[in-house]
Amino acid sequence: MVNATKTLIADAPTAHQGLLPNITVKGDTATGTWVMEDYVNLKAGGGFHGYGQFHDTYKRIDGRWYITGSVLERYRMDTLPDTGPYQAPQKTN
């Protein structure tokens, strides 16, 4: 999945945000729900603007919290018009 995502998105611009976390801690484990919104402009042209929630699980190990699982539940995806392949700006020094 990681390789497919890298190939699909590559240098295309994306904006992805998780907001308004609702986290419940029970000892050394926790669950969290985050409101999610993303905007993806695919390098092949077009893209989408999506909305949903992340449902995460966490575990505390040696005093540090780690994400042990994450599931994205999408509620809506609006397609973006195909304006041709995205061309990343060239970096100049």
Side-chain angles (χ1 to χ4, degrees):
M1 182 170 178
V2 171
N3 287 336
T5 300
K6 283 182 184 179
T7 300
L8 181 65
I9 295 175
D11 294 332
T14 65
H16 192 102
Q17 43 186 345
L19 310 161
L20 304 169
N22 182 0
I23 299 175
T24 302
V25 178
K26 293 183 180 178
D28 287 332
T29 63
T31 57
T33 302
W34 297 74
V35 174
M36 182 283 302
E37 179 179 4
D38 63 356
Y39 178 94
V40 178
N41 185 345
L42 300 173
K43 71 177 188 175
F48 59 88
H49 187 182
Y51 312 86
Q53 290 184 330
F54 278 108
H55 301 280
D56 296 340
T57 54
Y58 313 93
K59 185 170 185 173
R60 182 170 34 203
I61 302 170
D62 296 328
R64 296 185 65 176
W65 286 98
Y66 295 89
I67 298 171
T68 56
S70 186
V71 174
L72 171 56
E73 179 182 10
R74 288 194 177 273
Y75 297 142
R76 180 179 176 133
M77 285 180 57
D78 298 324
T79 58
L80 301 174
D82 185 349
T83 57
Y86 172 74
Q87 298 295 320
Q90 298 299 312
K91 295 179 182 177
T92 58
N93 292 334

